[in-house]
Amino acid sequence: MTKTLKCISPVDGSVFAERPVVSQKEAEAVIASAKSAQKEWAARPLAERIKLVMAGVAKIGEQNDEIVPELAKMMGRPVRYGGEFGGFNERASHMAKIAEESLKPIIAEESDNFERRIEKEPHGVILVIAPWNYPYMTAINTVAPALIAGNAVILKHATQTLLVGERMASAFAEAGVPAEVFLNLFLDHDTTSHLIAGRNFGFVNFTGSVGGGRAMEIAAAGTFTGLGLELGGKDPGYVMDDADVEAAAETLIDGAMFNSGQCCCGIERIYVHSSKYDAFVKKAVEIVSGYKLGNPLDETTTIGPMANVRFADLVRKQVADAVEQGAKPMIDAGLFPEDDGGAYLAPQILVDVNHDMEVMREESFGPVVGIMKVESDEEAIRLMNDSHYGLTASLWTQDPARAAKLGAQIETGTVFMNRADYLDPALCWTGCKDTGRGGALSEIGYQNLTRPKSYHLKKA
């Protein structure tokens, strides 16, 4: 009996989509054809590859009216927010813009006697394993620059957003990218691990859980396959004594609650200077109390269901455990009668929290945030660093020098000042500690998607 992958819609618990998994033998045949096609693809002029990739991006844009409700049904994001094409296009466009400069050779010497240079060669076939929370934007982070750099790409998408990879590969093929160069495969975990262990890929990019990242490292052990891993997060915000409280609350609470809190760089814990604490909490509660939980296909809904019941159950447990340990919930559950004990989960703000509570230490990935009062920058830095994750940190102050000084002391991949929950494609998207390794986007993204090859040519 053929094994299938099923996308269970969080909207109503029905099976929204189902696809048969590919066997290891079938997958190896597809990868072999991709390896063959990659050579010809890499030989094409860079400008031609850029043009075809951006045509594929545009094709996805043409489908946005279909994609938005499809995403709502697969993972629960409200249709009112219009999908992901803005970020999808921004990231691909930036990587296309910097490609020529980023991929040009590094010239050490060009004289009558010697030609010494470093070329940047594609790895060959790259496996991209993308998550469900922002399925288009997270995938394009690697897909676009990998193809532009001359690699072939195999895309394996999360079961929760089963149709995204299929739609992307089809759109890019329609735009003229050779079908053998960008393929979507429906793979289970075991087959994926066997393919990595079998040295089928020149590089693997994975976005997902810490456990998933460990599985990638175990599968790749001894193969020397390069890995790019963006894993869990517990991103902090710090509101200083000179911060604009209204602006800080608006941005940090949106960063904590948007997409039902299911954001890689979502704000999961907030530290506020005692002089601003009461005003910040008051504004935060006001904002969240105005949300409308409901069916994501309804234009009035501002917060939809979580992508899966088990994700909501984890958040409920973290909140219940915190309350049992003395945390105080600030959001009236009666404001959200749509909370059904399943995927539909009321948002929550917790105060009187501390770092003994799981909700302040482990990834929640849901619509809950804890707020702690602090007395100094030193206390805030200590608490922000008291985590085994490090993706982003959001600092709120009127003083850029102060933000830069504190940022240098924070163990994180990105430091924001007066901003949060945004991925700038001109900067490296990276993390430290259990958040992972490597870096996507920017010039550094191209460095990871190619390998250096040196030429030392003596002319006489």
Side-chain angles (χ1 to χ4, degrees):
M1 185 176 178
T2 303
K3 182 179 178 181
T4 63
L5 301 174
K6 294 181 181 180
C7 168
I8 308 299
S9 174
V11 176
D12 57 11
S14 65
V15 176
F16 177 71
E18 186 172 2
R19 294 290 187 273
V21 299
V22 174
S23 71
Q24 184 173 336
K25 186 176 179 180
E26 290 169 328
E28 286 171 346
V30 168
I31 295 165
S33 71
K35 284 181 179 177
S36 241
Q38 182 268 330
K39 299 294 184 185
E40 184 182 337
W41 173 248
R44 295 195 189 196
L46 175 59
E48 184 180 337
R49 296 198 303 267
I50 291 171
K51 182 179 178 181
L52 290 172
V53 168
M54 292 311 297
V57 169
K59 285 288 181 187
I60 290 293
E62 292 169 11
Q63 299 172 24
N64 201 53
D65 287 347
E66 301 168 40
I67 286 172
V68 171
E70 186 173 86
L71 280 177
K73 292 170 186 175
M74 287 193 292
M75 51 74 66
R77 187 186 308 126
V79 295
R80 69 180 290 145
Y81 299 118
E84 301 177 24
F85 185 69
F88 182 87
N89 184 57
E90 178 188 28
R91 298 173 189 188
S93 297
H94 180 78
M95 295 309 284
K97 178 183 175 182
I98 68 169
E100 184 175 359
E101 182 67 23
S102 298
L103 294 170
K104 73 179 183 182
I106 299 170
I107 306 298
E109 180 180 357
E110 199 165 347
S111 69
D112 292 341
N113 297 323
F114 288 97
E115 183 180 340
R116 295 157 53 228
R117 69 181 188 274
I118 304 167
E119 297 280 355
K120 300 167 187 177
E121 292 208 341
H123 288 297
V125 179
I126 289 180
L127 174 64
V128 178
I129 304 175
W132 50 264
N133 62 321
Y134 283 95
Y136 284 94
M137 289 198 291
T138 52
I140 204 65
N141 290 351
T142 306
V143 169
L147 289 170
I148 288 170
N151 296 284
V153 173
I154 303 292
L155 177 59
K156 175 198 178 304
H157 229 295
T159 303
Q160 194 66 52
T161 42
L162 196 59
L163 304 184
V164 172
E166 188 176 72
R167 191 181 277 277
M168 281 183 66
S170 174
F172 275 60
E174 188 181 344
V177 175
E180 297 82 5
V181 165
F182 179 29
L183 299 117
N184 174 69
L185 287 181
F186 297 108
L187 300 168
D188 61 22
H189 295 323
D190 287 345
T191 302
T192 303
S193 293
H194 287 312
L195 290 170
I196 295 170
R199 301 175 184 261
N200 283 281
F201 308 107
F203 187 83
V204 176
N205 190 88
F206 172 81
T207 304
S209 68
V210 173
R214 289 197 182 103
M216 297 297 108
E217 288 203 322
I218 290 168
T223 69
F224 308 113
T225 301
L227 297 175
L229 304 172
E230 191 219 309
L231 311 176
K234 194 73 184 172
D235 291 9
Y238 172 34
V239 182
M240 302 182 209
D241 50 9
D242 66 339
D244 180 332
V245 170
E246 293 274 320
E250 290 282 356
T251 299
L252 290 174
I253 294 304
D254 181 67
M257 300 294 172
F258 187 78
N259 206 35
S260 299
Q262 300 165 133
C263 301
C264 298
C265 57
I267 296 296
E268 296 219 353
R269 50 198 174 108
I270 301 174
Y271 307 99
V272 185
H273 190 273
S274 57
S275 64
K276 302 286 188 178
Y277 180 80
D278 289 342
F280 182 90
V281 171
K282 181 180 178 182
K283 181 63 179 178
V285 170
E286 176 189 314
I287 292 167
V288 175
S289 296
Y291 288 165
K292 171 70 170 67
L293 175 65
N295 189 316
L297 297 167
D298 184 339
E299 288 282 354
T300 66
T301 294
T302 56
I303 185 167
M306 293 193 68
N308 193 289
V309 173
R310 72 179 187 277
F311 305 150
D313 286 344
L314 171 65
V315 178
R316 287 190 177 94
K317 182 181 184 303
Q318 286 188 350
V319 171
D321 289 350
V323 170
E324 189 176 333
Q325 294 176 65
K328 180 181 178 183
M330 299 298 291
I331 303 301
D332 179 5
L335 295 172
F336 300 95
E338 300 85 1
D339 186 329
D340 60 357
Y344 289 85
L345 173 65
Q348 189 55 267
I349 292 172
L350 298 172
V351 297
D352 297 337
V353 290
N354 59 58
H355 278 220
D356 292 330
M357 300 172 182
E358 188 177 312
V359 77
M360 294 298 285
R361 298 193 61 80
E362 297 301 326
E363 187 170 41
S364 302
F365 219 61
V368 60
V369 67
I371 305 176
M372 282 183 70
K373 184 188 297 184
V374 297
E375 298 297 338
S376 67
D377 290 352
E378 291 73 23
E379 183 183 6
I381 290 167
R382 178 179 61 78
L383 290 168
M384 283 189 281
N385 285 341
D386 184 26
S387 172
H388 46 262
Y389 299 109
L391 185 57
T392 77
S394 177
L395 306 179
W396 289 79
T397 176
Q398 304 301 317
D399 185 349
R402 184 180 180 187
K405 180 181 177 181
L406 267 61
Q409 300 172 65
I410 301 170
E411 297 158 357
T412 190
T414 295
V415 176
F416 290 111
M417 173 182 158
N418 300 336
R419 195 167 197 181
D421 192 26
Y422 171 68
L423 196 160
D424 182 345
L427 300 177
C428 183
W429 191 241
T430 187
C432 61
K433 301 192 278 191
D434 281 3
T435 291
R437 59 186 289 191
L441 299 173
S442 75
E443 182 179 347
I444 290 172
Y446 276 117
Q447 291 173 14
N448 287 326
L449 295 170
T450 56
R451 69 175 185 87
K453 184 174 182 179
S454 294
Y455 288 80
H456 191 134
L457 308 178
K458 184 179 181 182
K459 297 179 181 178

